[in-house]
């Protein structure tokens, strides 16, 4: 579709969406009345800037189902994301919503090269988390074979990967590395498996981590992006070019805003991603602030797709650490660790405040072949990492080198940062 045709479609869908929420969701009707807005004021996609933002706090304030735009009898599934504070975020789906979700996941899998002849292991958690069931139904919709392994019994998982000749895997990138380690411990290698494609998401990861996963598992590793409030995985996905993730913008309209002022930023500029669910009917959202920091690119991709591409998520505006006045993203630290062959891709960042001064300790595992009882060797290695971190972050980091396999592994989302400050 040309951009002109797509924008026309987006405008029609936006008008229909605004009409739906105005008449069916009291929260949005009140917001629009405060702004003296009626559905007929929203005619084209350019009118989207007139509409109010929605935040995670709005979802929690309207807990459990105050933002539904259809009766509960039309809701066929509910997911929830666990919040660290306050109420969980409840999301309701109609049958039509689930059909759209299957479709966008199938698009993602097709972009990775998955076909009906593939067997895909879904290693995301099933249940209230959207990753497992989202990927599961997308694989089935495409016509490939799904293996619902979920998280947990890694030994059995590896056996099934090998015995069934599984060719694709969908899980968190940290679990993919955990799987590679477990494979090595069993005396196996990537050559013993038929894996060729991996779909990884649900946590931030870097290009260096992609190379690590690809090398260890012998696969092509692709990013998949989503969030439960908008739909789940499949909102955006990489193609074979691996040059940004294509947003399914016929269903999810993206904007980039300044995180502090809310101003829409010029094309290509980095800021906070805002998404509007153009076709969702169960719990549609207007201009949802994701807190994810990225940039959008509208030039045509080499793969031929005309859908907008978004850069890899730099971090989250609310996950950003401010250490002694310096902005630090965990992904920056991970990138440094992974570009140095001496270290495993397993680390823990401990942030605290002592005597009114922020402290940051990085615990990182040394690879077995580089780990030594000789103090001088370890001091030299530590000095090398400290210097590299100082160069990238502009900040001194207290580094503690630890033994291989001493940092607790995660089979779900990896816990990389512990912030003990009372902020």
């Amino acid at each position: 579709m040309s951009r002109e045709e797509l924008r026309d479609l987006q405008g029609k869908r936006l008008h229909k969406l605004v009409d739906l929420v105005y008449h069916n969701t009291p929260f949005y009707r009140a917001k629009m009345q405060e702004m003296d807005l009626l559905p007929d004021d929203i005619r084209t996609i350019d009118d989207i800037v007139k509409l109010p933002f929605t935040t995670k706090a709005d979802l929690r304030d309207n807990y459990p189902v105050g933002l539904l735009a259809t009766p509960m009898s039309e809701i066929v599934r509910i997911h929830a994301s666990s919040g660290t504070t306050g109420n969980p975020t409840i999301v309701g789906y109609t049958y039509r919503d689930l059909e759209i979700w299957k479709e966008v996941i199938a698009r993602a899998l097709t972009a990775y090269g998955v076909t009906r002849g593939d067997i895909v292991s879904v290693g995301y958690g099933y249940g209230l988390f959207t990753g497992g069931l989202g990927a599961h139904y997308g694989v089935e919709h495409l016509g490939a074979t799904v293996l619902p392994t979920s998280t947990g019994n890694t030994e059995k998982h590896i056996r099934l990967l090998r015995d069934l000749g599984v060719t694709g895997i969908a899980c968190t990138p940290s679990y993919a590395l955990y799987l590679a380690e477990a494979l090595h411990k069993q005396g196996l290698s990537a050559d013993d498996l038929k894996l060729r494609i991996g779909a990884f998401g649900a946590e931030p990861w870097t290009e260096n981590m992609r190379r690590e996963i690809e090398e260890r598992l012998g696969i092509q590793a692709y990013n998949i992006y989503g969030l439960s409030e908008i739909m789940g995985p499949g909102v955006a996905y990489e193609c074979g070019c691996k040059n940004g993730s294509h947003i399914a913008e016929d269903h999810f309209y993206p904007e980039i805003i300044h995180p502090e002022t809310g101003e829409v930023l010029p094309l290509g500029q980095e800021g906070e991603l805002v998404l509007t669910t153009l076709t969702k009917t169960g719990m549609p959202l207007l201009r949802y602030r994701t807190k994810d920091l990225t940039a959008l690119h509208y030039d045509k991709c080499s793969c031929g797709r005309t859908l907008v591409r978004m850069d890899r998520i730099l971090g989250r505006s609310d996950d950003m650490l401010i250490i002694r006045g310096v902005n630090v993203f965990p992904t920056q630290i991970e990138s440094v660790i992974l570009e140095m062959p001496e270290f495993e891709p397993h680390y823990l960042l401990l942030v605290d405040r002592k005597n009114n001064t922020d402290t940051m300790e990085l615990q990182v595992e040394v690879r077995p072949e580089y780990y030594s009882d000789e103090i001088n060797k370890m001091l030299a290695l530590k000095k090398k990492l400290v210097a590299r971190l100082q160069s990238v972050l502009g900040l001194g980091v207290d580094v503690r080198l630890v033994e291989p396999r001493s940092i607790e592994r995660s089979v779900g989302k990896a816990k990389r940062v512990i912030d003990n400050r009372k902020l």
Side-chain angles (χ1 to χ4, degrees):
M1 210 181 245
S2 70
R3 290 230 60 87
E4 293 74 23
E5 291 171 312
L6 183 55
R7 287 181 66 78
D8 183 56
L9 177 66
Q10 289 168 333
K12 287 172 180 170
R13 288 182 168 177
L14 178 65
H15 175 72
K16 195 173 178 180
L17 165 73
V18 171
D19 193 63
L20 174 72
V21 298
Y22 186 86
H23 291 104
N24 293 279
T25 311
F27 167 78
Y28 280 123
R29 182 164 58 251
K31 281 253 190 185
M32 288 178 65
Q33 286 173 346
E34 280 173 25
M35 302 169 80
D36 201 25
L37 271 179
L38 290 170
D40 279 349
D41 295 323
I42 309 300
R43 285 292 175 189
T44 71
I45 198 62
D46 292 326
D47 293 327
I48 198 167
V49 295
K50 300 175 184 176
L51 293 167
F53 289 115
T54 311
T55 66
K56 192 156 207 151
D58 294 328
L59 273 71
R60 290 191 176 132
D61 291 346
N62 288 276
Y63 177 87
V65 290
L67 288 184
L68 292 184
T70 56
M72 199 64 198
S73 59
E74 296 291 317
I75 299 297
V76 298
R77 194 193 299 169
I78 285 175
H79 281 285
S81 66
S82 56
T84 50
T85 58
N87 293 321
T89 302
I90 300 286
V91 188
Y93 299 78
T94 62
Y95 181 81
R96 182 169 176 266
D97 293 337
L98 294 182
E99 290 299 298
I100 289 168
W101 194 6
K102 292 178 195 175
E103 165 66 23
V104 293
I105 293 268
R107 287 186 196 178
L109 295 167
T110 301
Y112 307 149
V114 177
T115 69
R116 289 174 60 104
D118 283 297
I119 304 173
V120 180
S121 167
V122 176
Y124 289 115
Y126 280 63
L128 291 175
F129 174 58
T130 54
L133 285 170
H136 180 113
Y137 285 106
V139 174
E140 287 187 347
H141 187 65
L142 180 64
T145 304
V146 66
L147 183 66
T149 43
S150 191
T151 56
N153 194 332
T154 302
E155 193 173 319
K156 181 187 275 186
H157 193 168
I158 289 172
R159 180 176 179 176
L160 291 171
L161 292 179
R162 185 188 62 195
D163 294 351
L164 290 171
V166 173
T167 49
I169 186 167
C171 63
T172 60
S174 55
Y175 182 64
L177 286 173
Y178 178 76
L179 204 61
E181 274 190 355
L183 197 67
H184 181 70
K185 276 183 73 177
Q186 290 186 28
L188 301 171
S189 72
D191 294 336
D192 295 299
L193 305 179
K194 291 186 178 177
L195 279 179
R196 63 186 188 88
I197 292 170
F200 305 115
E203 64 187 17
W205 57 307
T206 58
E207 283 299 320
N208 286 332
M209 188 177 252
R210 188 209 299 269
R211 285 191 286 272
E212 186 93 14
I213 291 169
E214 289 184 338
E215 188 178 321
R216 288 197 183 188
L217 289 178
I219 62 173
Q220 289 295 311
Y222 297 97
N223 190 46
I224 190 164
Y225 172 82
L227 56 166
S228 58
E229 299 91 327
I230 296 300
M231 184 65 87
V235 171
Y237 48 88
E238 285 184 314
C239 62
C241 300
K242 298 182 185 174
N243 186 27
S245 295
H246 293 279
I247 298 175
E249 57 177 320
D250 50 333
H251 297 293
F252 316 110
Y253 183 77
E255 301 171 87
I256 297 291
I257 65 166
H258 190 288
E260 291 168 18
T261 66
E263 170 198 4
V264 177
L265 295 175
L267 293 183
Q269 202 161 320
E270 189 181 280
E272 180 184 341
L273 178 66
V274 170
L275 291 167
T276 296
T277 58
L278 294 176
T279 52
K280 207 173 174 188
T281 52
M283 201 184 88
L285 296 181
L286 299 177
R287 305 188 82 196
Y288 182 72
R289 295 190 60 163
T290 68
K291 299 291 184 182
D292 288 329
L293 300 177
T294 185
L296 299 179
H297 303 283
Y298 286 88
D299 52 309
K300 189 174 179 179
C301 184
S302 303
C303 73
R305 288 174 180 82
T306 54
L307 294 172
V308 65
R309 285 171 291 119
M310 77 175 192
D311 286 341
R312 184 178 285 278
I313 301 296
L314 169 66
R316 287 175 56 84
S317 58
D318 56 353
D319 279 356
M320 181 176 71
L321 298 166
I322 302 178
I323 310 292
R324 300 192 291 278
V326 179
N327 295 345
V328 176
F329 288 103
T331 46
Q332 294 174 296
I333 292 169
E334 178 180 285
S335 192
V336 170
I337 292 168
L338 285 169
E339 71 185 25
M340 298 177 73
E342 298 91 343
F343 302 107
E344 294 280 8
H346 299 289
Y347 67 94
L348 191 62
L349 198 59
L350 300 169
V351 182
D352 212 332
R353 182 164 285 164
K354 295 173 184 173
N355 301 322
N356 295 319
T357 302
D358 292 333
T359 63
M360 185 165 64
E361 180 188 273
L362 173 66
Q363 297 179 10
V364 60
E365 285 184 11
V366 180
R367 290 189 189 274
E369 60 268 34
Y370 292 99
Y371 194 78
S372 171
D373 291 333
E374 293 180 40
I375 294 175
N376 286 345
K377 283 187 178 178
M378 289 293 95
L379 282 174
L381 192 52
K382 176 179 173 177
K383 190 175 177 182
K384 181 179 174 185
L385 178 56
V386 167
R388 181 68 185 130
L389 288 167
Q390 173 77 46
S391 169
V392 171
L393 303 175
L395 186 74
V397 180
D398 181 18
V399 169
R400 185 153 74 89
L401 305 184
V402 299
E403 294 178 10
R405 299 202 57 78
S406 60
I407 292 175
E408 186 178 343
R409 300 298 192 256
S410 168
V411 295
K413 286 193 181 186
K415 181 74 174 174
R416 304 289 198 197
V417 181
I418 298 174
D419 194 341
N420 293 316
R421 295 175 297 177
K422 303 289 185 253
L423 298 177

